[in-house]
Structures are given as C-alpha cells and as structure tokens.
Amino acid sequence: MVPFFKHKSYINFRVLLRVIGWLLMIEGGFMALPTLLGFIDGDNSAVPFIIGTGITFTAAFSLMSLKTRSREMGKREAILLTSLTWIILSLFGMLPFLFTHSHLSVTDAFFETISGFTTTGMSVIGSLDGVPRSILLWRCLLQWIGGMGIILFTLAVIPMLNYQGGMMLFNAEVTGITHDKLAPRVSYTAKSLWLIYIILTLLLIIALLFSEMTTFDAICYGLSTMSTGGFSTSDLSITEWDNLYVKIVMAIFMFIGGINFSLIYQGTRGRFDTFRNNTVFKVYLSWIGIAYLLFCFNVWRTGSGHDWIDYSIDPIFQAISLASSTGMTEPDFSDWGSISTVVMIVLIFTGACAGSTSGGAKLDRIIILLKFMRNQFYQMMHPSAVTTVRINGQGTSYVLVQKVLGFLFLYILVIMVGGTLLTIMGLSLTDSFFYALSAISNAGLGTEVACVTQHYSTIPDVAKWLLALLMLIGRLELYTVLLLFTPMFWRK
C-alpha cells in the first residue's frame, strides 16, 4: 500500500473544508431553534446551545475563509465529503449534549447525535424525565435534518455546488440502487425533494395538533415521525398518547415516509399512474399487508388481543413502524409471541422503498434478488432461455443486478462482523447481533421490546463507537463509508 501522505494532493481538501464550512453554518442556524426555546422556558438550557452555536459558527467561518486554487470536485471528493460531513456535523451537533446538565460523556454525546442524524433512534439517555425541552427538540431536529440529508439540503440552498460535483454528492447520499433526477439541475431536484419533505412534516404537525398533544409534542413527534427516526419526548414514547387518532395519523405518515420521494413528487404533479405501475410500491403495500396478517394471527394465537383495536390499528401501526424503520412500538409487542419477533427482524432487515427516509437493505434490492433467483431456477430447467430481471415493466441490466447482489452480501457480512465484534466486547450473543442489525438498518428499537438484556447506556464505550460506525455505514449504504478503508481510494 502506498503511504497516504504521498497521495494527499490527489484530493482537493481545501474545497472539501470550504463546503463543510457551509454545512456547519447551516447546522449552527438550526441550533437557533432550541436556543430560542431555552430562552422561553427560562431554565438555562439555552446556554449549552449558545456555546455550541458560537463554536460551530467560529469553525464554519474559519473553514469558509480558506482560499482554494481550484473549485473542482470529483467522485473522490464527493465520497470523502459525504462521510466526513456526517462525522463532523455529529461532532459539533453533540456540543449541546456535552454542556447541558445531563453531563453526557463524549462517547455518549456523539452516540446520541449520530443516532439522531442517521435516524436510527438508539438513545443512551436512561430517562427523559427532567431533560430540558430544548434538548428534546434538538434530538428530533437532528433526525429531521438527517431524514432527507444535510448534504441534499446544502445542494438546495448553495447553487455553486451544482457545478462542483453536485450530482456525485447527490448519488453519494441519497439511498437506493438508482438515483433519478427530477430536473436537469441537481439543485432543483434537491429543492423539490426538500419542499415535499417540509410540506409533509407541516401537515403531520398540524394533524397532531388536533389531538391531545401539546404544540411542543406535536412538533417533536412530527419531526421524528416524518424522518422515520423514532425519538420521542417521553420515556413512554407513543404509549403516552394511547389515542386512536394519533396512531392512525402517525401510521399514515410513517407509511408515506417509507415511499420513494421521487414517486411522491410525481404524484404531486398528478401522475398517479406512477404508483400503480411501480413494482416496488406495490410490493411495499403487499409486504405491510402480509406483516399485518401475521401480527394479527400471533395476537390471536397468544391471546394478547382484547378488543377490535388490538386486531386492527395496533398490528398495522406496528407493521408500518417496523417496515419504515421508525421504531415506535406497541407496549405489549413483546407478548405477541415468537412469530412476531421473526417478522420484526425481517421487516428491520428489508426496510421500505429506496429513496425514502427509511433504513434497511431496501425492498428494491430484495425484489431484484428474488427475481434473479427465480430466473436461475428457470434456467436450470431451460438452459437455452434468455431471462432478465424486470422492474416497473423494464429490464434491469446485469451490471445493476451484480451490484445489488454484492450489496446484499456485504450488508449481511457487516452484520456478522459487527455482531461478532460486539460479542468479543462482552455483550451477549443475542444482544450483539440484534444491536448490529438495528444499527446498520437504522431501526433503533427499544431494548425492552427486542427482549435484549442491556440498555444502550450500559454497553461499553468501545461498543458504542462501533455501533456509531454501523449507523453511519447503514445510512450511507455501505460503499460510501467502506470505500474509504480501501487502498484503491487513496491511489491516483
């Protein structure tokens, strides 16, 4: 391997740092919201955010003042910038956690922040009772920013990036096997996706305001639900609002959060036939329906149901929450039996549609895998037959099929390696592999629901750093992060 320092000139680090400066400016701007809430509450919770904002803006201005000989940004810079952005923004985003009276360690503060940015929802805060509202809002804001992606937001508000590897940045951050631009300019695509995301979030918040929720709770749950993140404002989570209306509203918007936002964009332009002709969307509907029926069967088999809601709203809410990787769960889910646990694991693994805010391997890839396997069986009986994997009525190139197969193999391999390392670090076998699956799938279910023995706050620090890495790898879909660990990335 050629030493890294001999190749440092092959990457335009100055332009990367300037862009990161812009990103930090945006992050500092978002910190103003919880700062304002801290002043309103008058509980001194604004102070940590004032300090954090000051440090963030100082770093941002320093980076933005760097002079660059060239503003070119290629594929190498885009890949490196994407990973660096999520790490650096988490380092600055954790500052309010460090300075607040909760006194989280650096490890715990970083874990909480990256869990928010990646919309995983794992939390090391043992109890939310007594936690300032400004911190609770910041946690939900982190998830909302990470849901659609901070880099995508930057592409929308900083036009110059449209000419500096904008499409490469778009491809590096947006989830999925293909990335369709909605317009020739990637900045317009980013603006369109973020506009839809903002409108849906506002609609959800307004809908929740018609329930028993306070304005603060409606805003926080709106942010965390639309991003399919799952952070809450109470230790009781959704059970605090054991309300039929709230469950129905949240289920609808969790379901929307699991749909490809490009498909939603087409729907807003009156092209509803795109939903009817989209293979992945139809499978998404069917998959949730199957999970719902299995949950209903298990509720009946275990005798956990007591009224019609236990056989209607609760199972469908749980199926959508798991498929969209939101992670909000019914309080009695652990009583639903072993079949429900198996369905839960499968839902966490598969996730929802690519191009959504959900985690998991994505249904698009699962569909391609299953169709490829079917073709292989068919060719065993008809060796001379020519087959192709068809999605949305169109054939899929063999190169794309290879990429999907490679991704799924690597996805499982990372779970196996991550689970094994966590076991070596002292966690039980069950806990280790469940944590690894939840982290890379950005699901973050509560430990009491998953029937594991340790809360996230009690696991060793080294295990938390590993889980943080798995969350990042899962959010950026493996290759963007793992490629940085290969010698070929640093070679000319």
Side-chain angles (χ1 to χ4, degrees):
M1 176 178 176
V2 181
F4 166 72
F5 67 85
K6 290 188 177 180
H7 298 294
K8 61 183 179 181
S9 59
Y10 299 149
I11 297 177
N12 192 344
F13 282 104
R14 284 182 173 268
V15 74
L16 295 186
L17 293 175
R18 279 177 59 87
V19 174
I20 289 174
W22 280 102
L23 291 163
L24 288 175
M25 281 288 292
I26 295 171
E27 183 179 31
F30 276 108
M31 284 186 186
L33 297 175
T35 303
L36 178 61
L37 181 61
F39 278 121
I40 294 173
D41 289 345
D43 55 1
N44 294 323
S45 63
V47 175
F49 287 96
I50 293 173
I51 298 172
T53 303
I55 295 174
T56 303
F57 277 144
T58 301
F61 283 122
S62 300
L63 295 176
M64 290 166 58
S65 64
L66 291 175
K67 303 297 182 182
T68 59
R69 293 182 179 179
S70 171
R71 292 189 175 184
E72 288 187 18
M73 184 181 294
K75 182 179 294 185
R76 196 188 306 268
E77 284 84 2
I79 292 172
L80 183 57
L81 175 63
T82 305
S83 297
L84 281 178
T85 294
W86 289 78
I87 295 171
I88 293 175
L89 263 64
S90 294
L91 289 172
F92 284 88
M94 74 179 186
L95 294 177
F97 293 112
L98 288 176
F99 298 131
T100 192
H101 70 270
S102 60
H103 301 301
L104 292 179
S105 65
V106 172
T107 297
D108 287 347
F110 183 82
F111 183 94
E112 192 79 12
T113 307
I114 202 165
S115 176
F117 267 131
T118 58
T119 71
T120 304
M122 292 180 175
S123 179
V124 292
I125 300 177
S127 175
L128 296 177
D129 292 339
V131 175
R133 293 202 306 167
S134 56
I135 290 292
L136 296 178
L137 176 61
W138 181 235
R139 294 166 79 240
C140 296
L141 268 173
L142 290 173
Q143 289 197 325
W144 188 75
I145 297 168
M148 186 57 65
I150 185 66
I151 292 178
L152 198 64
F153 184 84
T154 309
L155 288 172
V157 299
I158 304 179
M160 72 174 186
L161 289 181
N162 196 67
Y163 308 100
Q164 297 181 27
M167 192 60 198
M168 295 176 189
L169 288 171
F170 180 81
N171 290 335
E173 180 167 73
V174 176
T175 62
I177 56 178
T178 58
H179 306 107
D180 299 324
K181 288 202 301 180
L182 307 180
R185 294 171 65 91
V186 69
S187 60
Y188 180 85
T189 298
K191 288 177 183 177
S192 300
L193 294 177
W194 261 97
L195 180 61
I196 293 170
Y197 188 53
I198 292 171
I199 291 174
L200 287 173
T201 304
L202 291 175
L203 289 175
L204 173 55
I205 292 172
I206 293 170
L208 291 176
L209 286 173
F210 285 95
S211 69
E212 298 174 356
M213 284 189 178
T214 64
T215 301
F216 172 74
D217 287 319
I219 291 173
C220 288
Y221 277 100
L223 295 173
S224 63
T225 301
M226 199 63 245
S227 63
T228 63
F231 273 157
S232 62
T233 60
S234 166
D235 293 333
L236 298 175
S237 187
I238 190 62
T239 58
E240 182 179 5
W241 314 102
D242 193 13
N243 180 288
L244 185 61
Y245 172 79
V246 170
K247 286 186 177 180
I248 292 175
V249 169
M250 293 182 71
I252 291 172
F253 280 89
M254 284 190 295
F255 175 80
I256 295 173
I259 301 174
N260 189 323
F261 272 72
S262 295
L263 197 62
I264 297 175
Y265 172 82
Q266 300 298 335
T268 61
R269 299 178 68 84
R271 301 171 186 169
F272 299 108
D273 58 315
T274 54
F275 287 91
R276 185 175 62 254
N277 299 327
N278 189 274
T279 303
V280 181
F281 177 73
K282 290 187 288 186
V283 171
Y284 179 44
L285 275 174
S286 302
W287 184 213
I288 289 177
I290 293 171
Y292 164 73
L293 293 176
L294 290 172
F295 283 150
C296 285
F297 171 75
N298 226 28
V299 169
W300 169 79
R301 187 178 66 87
T302 58
S304 303
H306 304 290
D307 53 37
W308 68 274
I309 296 178
D310 293 332
Y311 292 98
S312 55
I313 304 302
D314 289 353
I316 194 68
F317 177 90
Q318 193 61 79
I320 295 174
S321 177
L322 292 170
S324 64
S325 75
T326 307
M328 294 182 180
T329 51
E330 291 296 322
D332 57 347
F333 179 76
S334 57
D335 299 328
W336 287 8
S338 55
I339 296 178
S340 295
T341 303
V342 173
V343 174
M344 172 188 71
I345 293 172
V346 175
L347 285 170
I348 293 173
F349 178 86
T350 58
C353 306
S356 67
T357 60
S358 68
K362 303 294 186 300
L363 285 174
D364 307 55
R365 297 187 177 95
I366 304 300
I367 293 170
I368 289 178
L369 172 65
L370 294 177
K371 290 194 172 188
F372 174 79
M373 292 171 58
R374 182 194 62 186
N375 288 349
Q376 293 302 300
F377 284 122
Y378 183 82
Q379 285 186 316
M380 289 179 66
M381 299 299 297
H382 307 84
S384 59
V386 178
T387 59
T388 184
V389 174
R390 299 184 66 82
I391 300 290
N392 301 331
Q394 298 180 344
T396 303
S397 69
Y398 189 69
V399 173
L400 183 59
V401 174
Q402 285 182 313
K403 288 174 63 177
V404 168
L405 296 179
F407 178 93
L408 292 173
F409 172 79
L410 188 57
Y411 197 84
I412 295 172
L413 182 62
V414 172
I415 294 173
M416 298 299 294
V417 172
T420 302
L421 291 175
L422 289 172
T423 304
I424 295 173
M425 294 171 187
L427 279 68
S428 70
L429 189 66
T430 302
D431 292 5
S432 298
F433 283 91
F434 181 79
Y435 286 151
L437 173 62
S438 296
I440 196 172
S441 299
N442 302 137
L445 289 177
T447 51
E448 70 285 350
V449 175
C451 299
V452 294
T453 57
Q454 283 187 275
H455 189 268
Y456 299 117
S457 61
T458 63
I459 63 177
D461 283 356
V462 64
K464 292 173 185 174
W465 286 104
L466 175 59
L467 288 174
L469 177 61
L470 291 176
M471 291 182 219
L472 181 63
I473 291 173
R475 174 58 179 84
L476 299 181
E477 300 214 314
L478 306 187
Y479 292 111
T480 302
V481 179
L482 296 180
L483 187 60
L484 302 181
F485 295 94
T486 63
M488 70 180 73
F489 179 82
W490 303 103
R491 292 182 183 142
K492 185 175 182 181

